[in-house]
Each structure stands twice: as C-alpha cells, then as structure tokens.
Amino acid sequence: MFGSIKAFCHDRAALPCALTALLLAVHAPASHGALTLSSTRVVFDSDKRSVSLVVANPSDKTYAVQSWVNTSADDTTTAVPFMVSPPLFRVNPGKEQQVQINGLPNTLPKDRESLFYFNAQEIPQVDGQQTNVLNIAIRTRIKLFYRPSELKDTPASRLKDLQWSLQTLGGKPSLVLNNPTPFHYTFYHLHVSVNGQSHRLEQPGMSEPLNRQTYALGDIKPGADMRVSFTTINDYGGITPLIEQPLQTGP
C-alpha cells in the first residue's frame, strides 16, 4: 500500500485523486487524530536554515504520513519558500519520525512576520481483505510563523503596544484592535467588561501584523469604565499572563 502511494506522490497535486477511492480526507485538530506533533506551532527564524518537529504514532496501527507547508489559501499551487523532508514517510506503532522544514531563498517582508501552515496528513493502511470500509485520513494543520532576524523584539514584549478602542461602526458599537507591531497574536481569552460585568468574545481569532481588526459587540451596551482583558498563545503553545486595559473611545 505504501509503495503505491509513493508512486502517486511524485506529483503531490495528484495525490487527492489517487486516494479518492481509498479514503475521505478530514481536517481536524491534532488531538482528534491518531498521530501527534511535538508542537502546536512553528517559529522559523530567518537566520536559521531549518527547523524540526516530531510526528509520533502512539496508536497500535501503522500510518503513512504526507507533510507539506502551504499558505492560508490552503492550496497546492501557491509557491512557498519551504521544503519539508521527508514529504512522505511511514510511522509504525509506538514510533516517531523527525520532520525537517528547510527554508528556501525568498523575498518575504523583513519588517513583519509572515504566516504559513505546516500540514501532516495521516494515511491509514488499507486492509485488502476488507470491503465496504471507509478509511478516514485526518490532517493536522498548525501555524508556521516566519520571523525575520531584523525583528529584535519578541511578541511578548510588544503585547503592551496593542491598541484597543470602542468605536461605532455601521451604527453599532465595535471593539477595534490596532496592531502596530510586526507580530501575529492568537488570542486565547478576550473579554470586555462594562460596569463591572464581563462579556466574553467568542472565537477572537488572530491579529495580523501592522493591521486593524474589529469585533462586533452584539448586545453589549457601552457604559462607564469599559475595559478589555486578554491573553494570547505564545511561541511554545502556552498562555501569556492576563493583560487588562481601559478602552479608549473613538469616533
């Protein structure tokens, strides 16, 4: 089974067609798959030639794994300045495989991070003796931040520079975030408090470098002493200390 997959993988764009009759591809968090990754995100410093992570198989089944890097478009055609080695490998039960992400010459911005994604798709072994069995290939996708060496600060040191304000957009109150830093910030916790009552904003997502983001406040009515509190996910997958700031009122 693994030999036939390798034959099809000389052109990775053709792989989905080759696997259509064998499996259904599903994108899911790492905890939902049989395989695990050694980190929840990758930081690629531009002055390094490569970074590595480990794909482990704690299950009792053998898997083939296809790995690659792509952009937020999640396609197989957009060129990226990375090459993954090995791009296809086998992981036996209880074993691990180190995967190396190699950087290629590029013209990425030097004044901010660039965002990519590392993908690892597990391909279960097909039992030729079984019929009418649906095998599901689960893909794990994590963020890869390309960080130029020209950036001398760290994301944690610039958290205090995030600018929050309350503005009226389309006749409705909105929380507006201006990110003047060169870093991405993925929020774990984002709350707005009004008159001592805290309101959680669901799925706050990620703030991009040198960009602006808005959050609709829905039924939250502006009032006295409005404040914002937040935590973010750091380079190691941990949670940063809680920061609380007063909300500035905008136009």
Side-chain angles (χ1 to χ4, degrees):
M1 175 260 189
F2 296 110
S4 62
I5 291 177
K6 289 182 180 179
F8 282 114
C9 281
H10 289 299
D11 179 3
R12 180 162 54 79
L15 180 60
C17 295
L19 294 178
T20 299
L22 296 177
L23 49 87
L24 172 68
V26 176
H27 176 202
S31 59
H32 292 175
L35 307 181
T36 62
L37 302 183
S38 57
S39 61
T40 61
R41 62 239 308 109
V42 176
V43 177
F44 195 113
D45 295 312
S46 67
D47 56 356
K48 301 289 175 43
R49 296 181 60 181
S50 65
V51 297
S52 299
L53 66 160
V54 174
V55 178
N57 180 8
S59 76
D60 58 357
K61 297 181 180 180
T62 298
Y63 286 87
V65 181
Q66 183 192 9
S67 58
W68 69 97
V69 173
N70 64 5
T71 67
S72 58
D74 198 16
D75 58 29
T76 59
T77 57
T78 304
V80 296
F82 302 99
M83 181 177 295
V84 179
S85 179
L88 183 73
F89 52 91
R90 169 177 175 151
V91 186
N92 291 325
K95 299 299 183 180
E96 298 178 345
Q97 171 69 49
Q98 180 172 289
V99 176
Q100 186 167 288
I101 304 172
N102 301 291
L104 301 175
N106 64 75
T107 57
L108 295 172
K110 298 179 183 296
D111 64 341
R112 71 194 73 182
E113 289 181 330
S114 296
L115 175 65
F116 298 89
Y117 288 85
F118 171 79
N119 302 266
Q121 181 161 293
E122 58 188 54
I123 305 168
Q125 187 170 8
V126 175
D127 186 347
Q129 303 300 317
Q130 293 180 318
T131 59
N132 300 323
V133 175
L134 177 64
N135 288 288
I136 298 179
I138 296 180
R139 176 165 62 115
T140 300
R141 195 167 193 246
I142 63 175
K143 294 171 183 173
L144 186 158
F145 301 105
Y146 179 83
R147 186 170 296 166
S149 58
E150 288 79 4
L151 305 182
K152 302 306 179 183
D153 293 324
T154 65
S157 69
R158 297 296 303 274
L159 273 172
K160 63 182 185 303
D161 297 327
L162 296 181
Q163 301 164 0
W164 302 87
S165 63
L166 178 67
Q167 300 184 22
T168 301
L169 302 175
K172 297 182 179 180
S174 296
L175 176 66
V176 177
L177 167 61
N178 179 45
N179 180 3
T181 82
F183 302 107
H184 292 82
Y185 290 102
T186 301
F187 293 101
Y188 180 77
H189 157 113
L190 180 57
H191 282 229
V192 170
S193 62
V194 186
N195 298 321
Q197 291 189 340
S198 181
H199 304 268
R200 178 174 181 173
L201 276 66
E202 301 294 338
Q203 300 180 337
M206 180 177 63
S207 173
E208 297 180 351
L210 308 177
N211 211 331
R212 182 183 179 204
Q213 190 165 348
T214 61
Y215 302 90
L217 293 181
D219 296 332
I220 302 175
K221 296 182 179 180
D225 190 28
M226 291 192 68
R227 307 182 70 84
V228 61
S229 61
F230 63 93
T231 60
T232 64
I233 302 176
N234 63 25
D235 286 350
Y236 309 100
I239 309 302
T240 59
L242 181 71
I243 294 179
E244 185 175 358
Q245 296 176 349
L247 268 179
Q248 304 298 320
T249 302

